[in-house]
């Protein structure tokens, strides 16, 4: 009670300002977006980078992998099924985790089904700048994607961080259980 209150708050993004107002109406009209200068710089830089396969006019969904075996097994099954569900309507691309040195062998069945395997060292921010949908499991890329114009979808996981849990609960991150949910999300408009 005796501590002075600030007159104005600077928040990371508009979502945080709206959340602030919802949780504490005292801050209505008393905040502004400062963002993260590093991430803004990465976005500007990414918009100028070349991305493999950008000559393809179809909308692109990029799935960002993890290197743990259970996640790799799940993603291999999911991406193959997703490709079968969306057919030629979407460009389905898989960005392996840098530790997935055997990605070409591991994801060979998905590649055979038409999934595009991106290089492990492909620039994730350049991919976010050019895809319509980014999918991850528990990576920070799900939150970083919010700074770009793509939709960010997370696959339900017990490995979610508290931030992912909160953003998913608020509807900021879209949630999918598997390929069927993901294909359905692709056919719907992004949430407001």
């Amino acid at each position: 009670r005796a501590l002075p209150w600030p007159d104005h708050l600077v928040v990371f993004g508009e979502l945080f300002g709206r959340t602030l107002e919802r949780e504490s109406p005292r801050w209505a009209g008393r905040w502004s977006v400062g963002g993260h200068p590093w991430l803004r710089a990465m976005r500007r830089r990414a918009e100028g980078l070349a991305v493999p396969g950008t000559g393809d006019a179809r909308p692109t969904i990029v799935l960002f992998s993890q290197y743990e075996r259970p996640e790799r097994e799940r993603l291999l099954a999911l991406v193959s099924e997703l490709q079968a569900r969306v057919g030629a309507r979407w460009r389905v691309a898989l960005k392996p985790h840098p530790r997935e040195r055997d990605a070409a062998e591991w994801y060979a069945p998905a590649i055979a089904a038409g999934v595009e395997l991106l290089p492990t060292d492909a620039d994730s921010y350049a991919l976010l700048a050019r895809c319509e949908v980014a999918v991850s499991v528990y990576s920070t890329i799900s939150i970083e994607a919010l700074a770009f114009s793509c939709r960010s979808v997370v696959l339900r996981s017990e490995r979610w961080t508290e931030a992912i849990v909160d953003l998913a609960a608020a509807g900021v991150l879209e949630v999918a259980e598997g390929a069927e949910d993901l294909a359905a999300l692709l056919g719907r408009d992004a949430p407001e």
Side-chain angles (χ1 to χ4, degrees):
R1 286 185 155 180
L3 293 175
W5 285 90
D7 296 326
H8 192 87
L9 292 179
V10 178
V11 295
F12 181 76
E14 188 175 333
L15 162 73
F16 297 98
R18 289 192 314 264
T19 303
L20 179 68
E21 284 189 6
R22 184 183 66 242
E23 298 299 322
S24 179
R26 173 192 196 289
W27 295 105
R30 300 176 70 193
W31 58 271
S32 59
V33 176
H36 193 294
W38 177 84
L39 192 52
R40 279 198 311 263
M42 288 295 101
R43 180 178 175 173
R44 279 193 306 274
R45 183 181 70 80
E47 288 168 351
L49 293 175
V51 176
T54 54
D56 194 328
R58 295 175 296 168
T60 301
I61 178 170
V62 177
L63 295 99
F64 292 85
S65 183
Q66 291 297 128
Y67 61 89
E68 295 89 1
R69 187 174 181 97
E71 299 302 339
R72 294 179 81 196
E73 290 171 349
R74 177 182 181 196
L75 195 57
L76 175 60
L78 181 142
V79 74
S80 297
E81 182 182 343
L82 178 65
Q83 180 65 61
R85 287 179 178 274
V86 300
R89 295 185 317 270
W90 283 82
R91 173 182 170 229
V92 179
L94 177 68
K95 162 60 172 83
H97 189 278
R99 290 187 185 174
E100 290 184 277
R101 302 197 198 314
D102 65 342
E105 294 82 22
W106 180 268
Y107 295 110
I111 296 165
V115 173
E116 180 181 345
L117 183 67
L118 299 169
T120 57
D121 63 350
D123 187 298
S124 295
Y125 295 129
L127 295 170
L128 292 176
R130 290 189 176 65
C131 73
E132 281 70 28
V133 180
V135 180
S136 62
V137 181
Y138 59 87
S139 173
T140 57
I141 203 79
S142 64
I143 297 170
E144 293 163 321
L146 297 174
F148 293 81
S149 59
C150 63
R151 295 165 71 177
S152 185
V153 179
V154 287
L155 300 173
R156 194 166 302 282
S157 172
E158 293 179 3
R159 295 178 182 240
W160 281 359
T161 63
E162 186 176 335
I164 292 173
V165 170
D166 291 346
L167 290 169
V172 175
L173 295 176
E174 296 178 75
V175 179
E177 297 287 341
E180 183 176 355
D181 288 349
L182 196 48
L185 283 171
L186 297 179
R188 291 196 301 260
D189 289 334
E192 293 293 317

